[in-house]
Amino acid sequence: MQYRAARGTEDLLPGRMLYWNAMQMAATEIFGRHGYSMIETPIFEQTDIFIHGIGQSTDVVSKEMFTVLSPDAYTKVATGNAERLKNDQRLTLRPEGTASFVRAAQQHNLLPQGGAPVKAFYAGPMFRAERQQRGRLRQFHQIGVECLGAADPFADAEAIIMLMQYLFELGIDPQSVKLLINSMGDDACRPHYREQVRAYIHEHSDELCEECNRRADINPLRAFDCKNETCQHVMKGAPNITDYLCDDCKTHYEQVKKYLDIAGIEYHEDSRLVRGLDYYTRTVFEVQVISGLGAQNALGGGGRYDKLVEIMGGKPTPGLGFAVGAERIMLALEDQGFDLTQTIPPELFMAFTSPQTKAVAYELTLMLRLNGIRVETDYQDRSLKSQLKLAGKLGVEYVVIVGDDELAADQVTVRDMKESTEETVVISDLLDYFMPLDTYEEFFDEA
Ligand code: HAM
């Protein structure tokens, strides 16, 4: 039997891995310019962190969390004693990064007490037990940014501007995406709006799915992101949040839009954008591809979460952030014609003609590599003809041939594969002959 990767998971092969690394480098550069530093939180956390942080009624928490059991916890569950699990035995693979970040910020006292905001970004795998589709995986990779301690609407706009810059820098065609924004109100205005939506759901209960009806009493706004098409159609007629925003929320939203206008960022207001996580207040946003990814069309999204720190046991602290999905960005780029199977080719191939020249070839290979040049060689005593063929396949720029006659004169032959020319080089000049290798970044700029 041949094993396959678990359902909903994908291997990141070298070409994609290279791109994933490049995404992290671009994040370091662009987010760094805005004051964000990289952090890493553990891949699993206490389950309660996600339940409290993301919200019990969300799909993510109610249906999609992967539970992790240590052997002792497993024994308790297997013997019907699950209720005896301690909090630190109830563990879940992180479905997103925001709740973990807030936990870490509190644990390490990073939260500003009237000081400068804490700004951080992270990159790594997330886990959601969803049904696999193109662009929807059970293990996927996110790059996310979070900012705690900034209440000004400029911070919301800054995050959105940064997100758009980032996507364009990665190669996403601005014409292929649209930015949706909305305000979801706050504690002052949302409760009243929620009641209106609840009443609307009750009025249309026979047209809506069982789940939307069930959630009407817990969190009616979740009906806006139900995946059922009939529900989506019915919810188009539901009351509009924009008509219920309090003055403070209205002003905040207007300011965010003003800053986006100043930055020349195009956006579409969508009063039905609620996003799938419960922690949002006021601004929410999402970047969707216009066509190609089907239902999984969101490349990234986020918003403000001014209540989350408090919900998770801290002092009232404004927060905001976003995350992008690496696999979806890669799919969108491939749809645009990018080739993400490319890897960095060796710069040169070291060929040899006999056991004597092989020893020298290996020595030269090590010396050039130590000096930063990407060198590949033969490990199977192939004929020179086969080695040259292999070098051609690898796409190297040069082949160095260590031949017996040349070696006798302390020389090697260097073949320029592009120009199809050859010249003889004295071995002690070989290092100087080659330019230092293209840097990793240069390769990426050219790719
Ligand atoms: P999210 O919208 O749930 O937000 O996820 C962000 C992005 O992750 C999505 O736009 C999508 O590109 C990608 N993504 C989500 N689920 C999957 C999946 N099953 N397969 C592939 N890609 C997926 C959050 O996670 C929030 N924590 C964002 C945030 C940060 N809000 C404030 N701060």
Side-chain angles (χ1 to χ4, degrees):
M1 188 187 71
Q2 226 189 359
Y3 289 111
R4 301 185 64 83
R7 185 154 53 95
T9 69
E10 280 180 359
D11 300 305
L12 278 178
L13 297 180
R16 285 197 160 215
M17 194 62 212
L18 202 52
Y19 193 76
W20 171 235
N21 285 341
M23 285 183 75
Q24 295 179 59
M25 282 187 332
T28 307
E29 166 62 30
I30 295 173
F31 304 159
R33 241 184 265 157
H34 293 78
Y36 288 79
S37 315
M38 193 167 190
I39 61 158
E40 187 161 313
T41 59
I43 281 180
F44 57 84
E45 298 266 358
Q46 288 185 27
T47 305
D48 271 0
I49 288 173
F50 301 120
I51 295 180
H52 281 118
I54 300 170
Q56 185 91 58
S57 64
T58 58
D59 275 357
V60 171
V61 168
S62 62
K63 302 193 242 176
E64 297 169 359
M65 295 213 294
F66 278 104
T67 299
V68 192
L69 291 173
S70 61
D72 52 332
Y74 180 80
T75 309
K76 281 191 188 159
V77 172
T79 54
N81 291 309
E83 76 288 347
R84 287 175 55 198
L85 287 176
K86 299 194 186 93
N87 263 352
D88 64 0
Q89 286 182 310
R90 292 175 202 277
L91 302 171
T92 290
L93 295 181
R94 62 182 185 193
E96 58 108 50
T98 311
S100 306
F101 167 72
V102 170
R103 190 270 309 141
Q106 282 176 258
Q107 180 176 337
H108 303 290
N109 294 320
L110 304 180
L111 293 177
Q113 308 272 323
V118 180
K119 294 173 163 183
F121 77 94
Y122 47 85
M126 306 289 162
F127 305 85
R128 296 185 192 174
E130 297 195 76
R131 275 214 322 189
Q132 188 180 5
Q133 273 182 19
R134 186 166 192 259
R136 188 158 81 193
L137 293 162
R138 296 183 139 207
Q139 175 180 328
F140 56 97
H141 294 76
Q142 273 190 353
I143 293 195
V145 314
E146 312 291 350
C147 168
L148 293 179
D152 198 282
F154 180 66
D156 311 39
E158 185 185 76
I160 297 172
I161 294 164
M162 203 166 78
L163 166 62
M164 300 314 285
Q165 262 182 21
Y166 182 59
L167 290 174
F168 299 154
E169 178 72 23
L170 292 177
I172 294 290
D173 174 2
Q175 305 302 321
S176 72
V177 290
K178 61 178 177 193
L179 165 67
L180 304 180
I181 61 169
N182 189 23
S183 172
M184 294 187 60
D186 64 7
D187 275 359
C189 51
R190 195 157 39 176
H192 179 50
Y193 173 64
R194 202 185 279 134
E195 284 317 309
Q196 303 302 309
V197 177
R198 179 171 294 141
Y200 179 86
I201 293 176
H202 285 318
E203 271 167 42
H204 294 80
S205 62
D206 49 347
E207 298 161 72
L208 293 165
C209 74
E210 215 176 287
E211 184 141 5
C212 284
N213 275 295
R214 194 173 52 76
R215 282 170 168 176
D217 292 320
I218 318 165
N219 189 351
L221 300 194
R222 290 273 66 88
F224 283 112
D225 54 19
C226 177
K227 286 164 188 139
N228 180 316
E229 274 180 26
T230 317
C231 296
Q232 281 173 9
H233 179 72
V234 173
M235 289 310 289
K236 281 195 178 137
N240 216 319
I241 178 76
T242 359
D243 299 331
Y244 293 83
L245 292 180
C246 60
D247 286 347
D248 284 351
C249 285
K250 244 187 231 161
T251 310
H252 188 97
Y253 190 36
E254 289 307 318
Q255 294 280 317
V256 173
K257 289 188 283 183
K258 189 188 87 184
Y259 290 124
L260 292 180
D261 290 337
I262 291 172
I265 300 282
E266 239 180 81
Y267 54 82
H268 303 264
E269 291 181 65
D270 179 353
S271 59
R272 271 153 191 82
L273 181 71
V274 293
R275 312 246 321 121
L277 311 154
D278 273 356
Y279 46 62
Y280 292 115
T281 49
R282 294 192 168 168
T283 317
V284 283
F285 50 92
E286 198 161 279
V287 179
Q288 300 181 349
V289 285
I290 292 164
S291 67
L293 278 174
Q296 316 313 314
N297 61 357
L299 296 185
R304 182 167 274 288
Y305 48 83
D306 289 345
K307 288 279 149 194
L308 183 56
V309 177
E310 239 174 307
I311 291 170
M312 293 183 62
K315 298 203 174 92
T317 310
L320 61 92
F322 66 78
V324 298
E327 286 80 1
R328 287 198 195 161
I329 289 175
M330 292 187 204
L331 285 174
L333 288 173
E334 281 171 343
D335 287 349
Q336 277 177 222
F338 273 64
D339 177 4
L340 298 183
T341 58
Q342 276 191 78
T343 53
I344 306 178
E347 196 178 26
L348 68 87
F349 190 91
M350 186 69 66
F352 49 85
T353 52
S354 66
Q356 290 75 29
T357 56
K358 172 176 166 176
V360 176
Y362 282 180
E363 223 177 279
L364 290 176
T365 296
L366 296 177
M367 181 276 291
L368 290 172
R369 283 179 181 159
L370 270 180
N371 284 282
I373 298 175
R374 293 189 300 273
V375 187
E376 191 49 282
T377 187
D378 173 56
Y379 304 89
Q380 280 149 295
D381 293 331
R382 288 179 170 90
S383 67
L384 182 61
K385 199 172 155 202
S386 305
Q387 291 182 59
L388 292 176
K389 218 163 135 191
L390 175 61
K393 253 197 211 155
L394 291 171
V396 296
E397 288 170 51
Y398 300 96
V399 179
V400 175
I401 305 166
V402 190
D404 292 84
D405 293 346
E406 292 91 338
L407 187 58
D410 281 332
Q411 291 176 339
V412 290
T413 303
V414 175
R415 176 179 289 195
D416 182 325
M417 297 295 272
K418 231 189 251 159
E419 306 294 329
S420 290
T421 53
E422 281 189 2
E423 60 183 299
T424 308
V425 178
V426 175
I427 288 183
S428 55
D429 293 342
L430 195 60
L431 180 60
D432 288 341
Y433 182 89
F434 291 109
M435 305 284 289
L437 90 166
D438 295 341
T439 61
Y440 197 69
E441 290 85 355
E442 280 166 4
F443 168 79
F444 236 90
D445 283 347
E446 285 163 21

